[in-house]
PDB file of all heavy atoms in Angstrom:
ATOM      1  N   PHE H 683       7.967  -4.517   3.222  1.00  0.00           N
ATOM      2  CA  PHE H 683       9.059  -4.298   4.155  1.00  0.00           C
ATOM      3  C   PHE H 683       8.759  -4.767   5.578  1.00  0.00           C
ATOM      4  O   PHE H 683       9.430  -4.367   6.508  1.00  0.00           O
ATOM      5  CB  PHE H 683       9.455  -2.825   4.152  1.00  0.00           C
ATOM      6  CG  PHE H 683       9.892  -2.366   2.795  1.00  0.00           C
ATOM      7  CD1 PHE H 683       9.104  -1.511   2.051  1.00  0.00           C
ATOM      8  CD2 PHE H 683      11.074  -2.820   2.242  1.00  0.00           C
ATOM      9  CE1 PHE H 683       9.501  -1.098   0.787  1.00  0.00           C
ATOM     10  CE2 PHE H 683      11.479  -2.422   0.984  1.00  0.00           C
ATOM     11  CZ  PHE H 683      10.689  -1.557   0.254  1.00  0.00           C
ATOM     12  N   VAL H 684       7.754  -5.607   5.723  1.00  0.00           N
ATOM     13  CA  VAL H 684       7.424  -6.157   7.035  1.00  0.00           C
ATOM     14  C   VAL H 684       7.698  -7.662   6.985  1.00  0.00           C
ATOM     15  O   VAL H 684       7.183  -8.354   6.110  1.00  0.00           O
ATOM     16  CB  VAL H 684       5.939  -5.901   7.384  1.00  0.00           C
ATOM     17  CG1 VAL H 684       5.594  -6.520   8.713  1.00  0.00           C
ATOM     18  CG2 VAL H 684       5.642  -4.413   7.387  1.00  0.00           C
ATOM     19  N   PRO H 685       8.503  -8.168   7.912  1.00  0.00           N
ATOM     20  CA  PRO H 685       8.767  -9.618   7.911  1.00  0.00           C
ATOM     21  C   PRO H 685       7.466 -10.413   8.069  1.00  0.00           C
ATOM     22  O   PRO H 685       6.555 -10.008   8.792  1.00  0.00           O
ATOM     23  CB  PRO H 685       9.665  -9.811   9.138  1.00  0.00           C
ATOM     24  CG  PRO H 685      10.236  -8.470   9.424  1.00  0.00           C
ATOM     25  CD  PRO H 685       9.228  -7.465   8.961  1.00  0.00           C
ATOM     26  N   ARG H 686       7.363 -11.521   7.375  1.00  0.00           N
ATOM     27  CA  ARG H 686       6.130 -12.318   7.402  1.00  0.00           C
ATOM     28  C   ARG H 686       5.811 -12.876   8.778  1.00  0.00           C
ATOM     29  O   ARG H 686       4.687 -13.244   9.049  1.00  0.00           O
ATOM     30  CB  ARG H 686       6.205 -13.434   6.377  1.00  0.00           C
ATOM     31  CG  ARG H 686       6.196 -12.847   4.994  1.00  0.00           C
ATOM     32  CD  ARG H 686       5.751 -13.796   3.984  1.00  0.00           C
ATOM     33  NE  ARG H 686       5.798 -13.082   2.713  1.00  0.00           N
ATOM     34  CZ  ARG H 686       5.490 -13.594   1.588  1.00  0.00           C
ATOM     35  NH1 ARG H 686       5.115 -14.844   1.536  1.00  0.00           N
ATOM     36  NH2 ARG H 686       5.546 -12.900   0.492  1.00  0.00           N
ATOM     37  N   THR H 687       6.796 -12.946   9.656  1.00  0.00           N
ATOM     38  CA  THR H 687       6.515 -13.401  11.012  1.00  0.00           C
ATOM     39  C   THR H 687       5.717 -12.350  11.779  1.00  0.00           C
ATOM     40  O   THR H 687       4.940 -12.682  12.666  1.00  0.00           O
ATOM     41  CB  THR H 687       7.820 -13.706  11.775  1.00  0.00           C
ATOM     42  OG1 THR H 687       8.652 -12.551  11.737  1.00  0.00           O
ATOM     43  CG2 THR H 687       8.540 -14.886  11.156  1.00  0.00           C
ATOM     44  N   LEU H 688       5.875 -11.070  11.409  1.00  0.00           N
ATOM     45  CA  LEU H 688       5.123  -9.996  12.063  1.00  0.00           C
ATOM     46  C   LEU H 688       3.767  -9.758  11.404  1.00  0.00           C
ATOM     47  O   LEU H 688       2.810  -9.376  12.067  1.00  0.00           O
ATOM     48  CB  LEU H 688       5.931  -8.692  12.041  1.00  0.00           C
ATOM     49  CG  LEU H 688       7.254  -8.714  12.789  1.00  0.00           C
ATOM     50  CD1 LEU H 688       7.985  -7.400  12.595  1.00  0.00           C
ATOM     51  CD2 LEU H 688       7.023  -9.000  14.260  1.00  0.00           C
ATOM     52  N   MET H 689       3.693  -9.934  10.101  1.00  0.00           N
ATOM     53  CA  MET H 689       2.455  -9.692   9.358  1.00  0.00           C
ATOM     54  C   MET H 689       2.337 -10.734   8.255  1.00  0.00           C
ATOM     55  O   MET H 689       2.900 -10.569   7.176  1.00  0.00           O
ATOM     56  CB  MET H 689       2.469  -8.290   8.757  1.00  0.00           C
ATOM     57  CG  MET H 689       1.225  -7.950   7.981  1.00  0.00           C
ATOM     58  SD  MET H 689      -0.198  -7.707   9.000  1.00  0.00           S
ATOM     59  CE  MET H 689      -0.224  -5.954   9.105  1.00  0.00           C
ATOM     60  N   PRO H 690       1.616 -11.838   8.516  1.00  0.00           N
ATOM     61  CA  PRO H 690       1.512 -12.893   7.497  1.00  0.00           C
ATOM     62  C   PRO H 690       0.714 -12.427   6.273  1.00  0.00           C
ATOM     63  O   PRO H 690      -0.001 -11.428   6.319  1.00  0.00           O
ATOM     64  CB  PRO H 690       0.785 -14.018   8.231  1.00  0.00           C
ATOM     65  CG  PRO H 690       0.084 -13.359   9.358  1.00  0.00           C
ATOM     66  CD  PRO H 690       0.874 -12.135   9.718  1.00  0.00           C
ATOM     67  N   THR H 691       0.862 -13.147   5.184  1.00  0.00           N
ATOM     68  CA  THR H 691       0.127 -12.862   3.952  1.00  0.00           C
ATOM     69  C   THR H 691      -1.370 -12.980   4.201  1.00  0.00           C
ATOM     70  O   THR H 691      -1.828 -13.894   4.873  1.00  0.00           O
ATOM     71  CB  THR H 691       0.562 -13.841   2.850  1.00  0.00           C
ATOM     72  OG1 THR H 691       1.967 -13.717   2.674  1.00  0.00           O
ATOM     73  CG2 THR H 691      -0.127 -13.547   1.546  1.00  0.00           C
ATOM     74  N   LEU H 692      -2.131 -12.050   3.651  1.00  0.00           N
ATOM     75  CA  LEU H 692      -3.583 -12.004   3.837  1.00  0.00           C
ATOM     76  C   LEU H 692      -4.270 -12.485   2.561  1.00  0.00           C
ATOM     77  O   LEU H 692      -3.964 -12.001   1.470  1.00  0.00           O
ATOM     78  CB  LEU H 692      -4.018 -10.576   4.153  1.00  0.00           C
ATOM     79  CG  LEU H 692      -5.508 -10.310   4.281  1.00  0.00           C
ATOM     80  CD1 LEU H 692      -6.073 -11.061   5.489  1.00  0.00           C
ATOM     81  CD2 LEU H 692      -5.755  -8.823   4.420  1.00  0.00           C
ATOM     82  N   PHE H 693      -5.204 -13.427   2.685  1.00  0.00           N
ATOM     83  CA  PHE H 693      -5.972 -13.912   1.544  1.00  0.00           C
ATOM     84  C   PHE H 693      -7.333 -13.221   1.538  1.00  0.00           C
ATOM     85  O   PHE H 693      -8.023 -13.183   2.549  1.00  0.00           O
ATOM     86  CB  PHE H 693      -6.172 -15.426   1.624  1.00  0.00           C
ATOM     87  CG  PHE H 693      -7.047 -15.962   0.529  1.00  0.00           C
ATOM     88  CD1 PHE H 693      -6.585 -16.022  -0.773  1.00  0.00           C
ATOM     89  CD2 PHE H 693      -8.338 -16.380   0.784  1.00  0.00           C
ATOM     90  CE1 PHE H 693      -7.382 -16.501  -1.795  1.00  0.00           C
ATOM     91  CE2 PHE H 693      -9.144 -16.862  -0.219  1.00  0.00           C
ATOM     92  CZ  PHE H 693      -8.666 -16.924  -1.520  1.00  0.00           C
ATOM     93  N   ILE H 694      -7.717 -12.671   0.378  1.00  0.00           N
ATOM     94  CA  ILE H 694      -9.027 -12.037   0.214  1.00  0.00           C
ATOM     95  C   ILE H 694      -9.769 -12.773  -0.891  1.00  0.00           C
ATOM     96  O   ILE H 694      -9.363 -12.742  -2.053  1.00  0.00           O
ATOM     97  CB  ILE H 694      -8.890 -10.546  -0.142  1.00  0.00           C
ATOM     98  CG1 ILE H 694      -8.134  -9.837   0.984  1.00  0.00           C
ATOM     99  CG2 ILE H 694     -10.256  -9.920  -0.383  1.00  0.00           C
ATOM    100  CD1 ILE H 694      -7.837  -8.390   0.735  1.00  0.00           C
ATOM    101  N   PRO H 695     -10.874 -13.473  -0.547  1.00  0.00           N
ATOM    102  CA  PRO H 695     -11.647 -14.185  -1.572  1.00  0.00           C
ATOM    103  C   PRO H 695     -12.435 -13.199  -2.444  1.00  0.00           C
ATOM    104  O   PRO H 695     -12.806 -12.116  -1.990  1.00  0.00           O
ATOM    105  CB  PRO H 695     -12.579 -15.075  -0.756  1.00  0.00           C
ATOM    106  CG  PRO H 695     -12.636 -14.483   0.591  1.00  0.00           C
ATOM    107  CD  PRO H 695     -11.381 -13.690   0.791  1.00  0.00           C
ATOM    108  N   TRP H 696     -12.681 -13.572  -3.694  1.00  0.00           N
ATOM    109  CA  TRP H 696     -13.423 -12.704  -4.615  1.00  0.00           C
ATOM    110  C   TRP H 696     -14.805 -12.369  -4.080  1.00  0.00           C
ATOM    111  O   TRP H 696     -15.325 -11.279  -4.334  1.00  0.00           O
ATOM    112  CB  TRP H 696     -13.556 -13.362  -5.985  1.00  0.00           C
ATOM    113  CG  TRP H 696     -12.270 -13.475  -6.729  1.00  0.00           C
ATOM    114  CD1 TRP H 696     -11.687 -14.630  -7.158  1.00  0.00           C
ATOM    115  CD2 TRP H 696     -11.388 -12.424  -7.128  1.00  0.00           C
ATOM    116  NE1 TRP H 696     -10.502 -14.352  -7.791  1.00  0.00           N
ATOM    117  CE2 TRP H 696     -10.294 -13.004  -7.791  1.00  0.00           C
ATOM    118  CE3 TRP H 696     -11.411 -11.044  -6.975  1.00  0.00           C
ATOM    119  CZ2 TRP H 696      -9.246 -12.256  -8.304  1.00  0.00           C
ATOM    120  CZ3 TRP H 696     -10.361 -10.297  -7.499  1.00  0.00           C
ATOM    121  CH2 TRP H 696      -9.306 -10.901  -8.152  1.00  0.00           C
ATOM    122  N   SER H 697     -15.405 -13.264  -3.319  1.00  0.00           N
ATOM    123  CA  SER H 697     -16.753 -13.022  -2.794  1.00  0.00           C
ATOM    124  C   SER H 697     -16.784 -11.857  -1.807  1.00  0.00           C
ATOM    125  O   SER H 697     -17.849 -11.309  -1.533  1.00  0.00           O
ATOM    126  CB  SER H 697     -17.297 -14.282  -2.122  1.00  0.00           C
ATOM    127  OG  SER H 697     -16.472 -14.657  -1.036  1.00  0.00           O
TER     128      SER H 697
END
Side-chain angles (χ1 to χ4, degrees):
F683 301 109
V684 178
R686 293 202 180 179
T687 55
L688 298 176
M689 180 71 99
T691 303
L692 176 65
F693 176 72
I694 300 176
W696 291 120
S697 61

